[in-house]
Amino acid sequence: MIYVTIKCILAKKYWISVLSIVPTVMIVNMEAHLGELGGAHIRLDHLSLLMCLIVAFVGGLITIYAMGYMDGYHQHHTEVPERRHFFFMVVYVFIGAMFGFVLSSDLVWIDFFWETTSVCSFMLIGGTALAFGIVYFETATGLSTLQGLVTASQQGGRAGAVAVMLMAFAALTKAAQLPFSTWLIGAMVAPTPSSALLHSATMVKAGIYILFRLAPAMAGTTTGYFIAGIGGFTFFMTSIIAIGQVDAKKVLAYSTISNLGLMVACAGIGRPETIWAGVFLMMFHAISKSLMFQDVGATENCLHSRNLEDMHGLLYRLPKLAVFMFIGIAGMYLAPFGMLISKWSALRASVDSKNVMVILFIVFGSATTSFYWSKWLGKILSRTMHNDQVKDITKNNEMFSLTVHAVAMVALCALFPLVSATYVHPLLNETFGVYKDVLSSNILNMLVVLILVVFLVPFMAYASSKRLHTNMKLSYMNGINLGNDNTFTDSFGEPKKLHMANDYFTEKIGRHALMVPCQLAVTAVIVVMFCIVLGGVA
């Protein structure tokens, strides 16, 4: 609290310090009256273990990547002061706080680690609502564990319903859902390892983790209905905004918010099938988004740009980085990769629950998601006669992390049935006490075969094309080609240079056009949710 308050005073943002002072004083006052806390403070089950694996695997690889990335970054940004020792200290405190957060059973410890991750990211996100929910629940029931909160809410108590609503609201801010998405966009300006850590393994997943824990308590409730709607709306609208972005890291940022929205919708519906889908979405998103952010960072160091238009023909200029980028993009949306399977499962569960609003958001959100990923993928695979050669300066540390991420993505796709049967099924049994098969084993095994074919066909095509004689023709450019496939003379005799670019519809669907209306709409929905739940409808 003291650290945040000092930062707010230095930045002359005095009112923000109140959001740190109030919850801290509330929690300290509650602890002073609790006395000795009873019960276990640590809980290890399949969901917390999954989060530990994601944080350890992705976070560890990001730190390895960061060692090489920092060298390349400072070679081209000599004006930036050297602070890598401080950077790595904060990263490890960050990762340590995430371990504490997902392993904590006591609500006070959850709040402590929640705020620690916020301080490490130099922002305070949603702590006030979390503290109000914890204090209110403990005052009303005398309980201070997350499991006790879920049980109390399922039994129909008002204290549990209100506390779940407040904690779910806090989770929305942590998961960067509308109207609280701007902090994650702002994190894009940070060094690439920070962006990868924030977007894939830590901050945003903390909010999703809490919502997954609260899912049984939200199923069929007013809070669950509103949370699912907010998540679905965020999934749809931010995927539209992503279409209008030309900066690769901005596309990844809005894609992160969008996919988190789908996970939030899954948690809000609260059915075993949606949590099955949400867990796989979380796994695939963590690996794929970390791979993509690291790849974009390495590409930027080579191209000195992260503009999508500058990545034209990347497959022929930086082939290794382009292949990693292809795997990351394919894992996010192409059939039959696991991300698409998880979306299909979420859609099926939404149909079963007759949630028409979420169904529409998933259908149209998936379509817009395919649009911006296909546009990016087409850019890196396109080839022209005048692609400039670029020197690949990617360090061994970076290449190691990228390779492990790519292998993990393919392995997770290939082992989809095994992971579902041996890990996700027990997780759902712990959460709901029952499990219903979402996809039959035959379908899952067929998907594995399709995945292998997807990777086999390009290699077969490449091997066969090496034996073929190629005869490159000059492009038709609506004029007289000057012989270098780069310039031509138009019908008025004027020399013109060939330029190929996408249309990004920035004025119509860009951030400035859509973000404020979306924030206002969701804010109104949240106000209605508070009014209904606090008014006594559970």
Side-chain angles (χ1 to χ4, degrees), residues 123-139:
M123 296 179 185
L124 184 69
I125 307 160
T128 305
L130 183 74
F132 269 109
I134 292 172
V135 173
Y136 174 81
F137 179 69
E138 192 280 329
T139 303

Side-chain angles (χ1 to χ4, degrees), residues 67 93 296 344 414 461:
M67 291 187 289
V93 173
V296 167
W344 181 84

Side-chain angles (χ1 to χ4, degrees), residues 345-391:
S345 176
L347 178 61
R348 175 180 170 179
S350 301
V351 172
D352 292 339
S353 64
K354 296 180 174 58
N355 196 322
V356 178
M357 180 177 58
V358 174
I359 292 171
L360 294 175
F361 286 146
I362 293 177
V363 170
F364 289 101
S366 298
T368 50
T369 297
S370 300
F371 190 94
Y372 64 77
W373 283 130
S374 297
K375 183 168 61 176
W376 189 342
L377 193 60
K379 262 296 173 184
I380 65 176
L381 298 180
S382 298
R383 182 172 186 173
T384 63
M385 296 288 290
H386 58 281
N387 282 328
D388 299 327
Q389 294 300 314
V390 180
K391 182 180 179 181

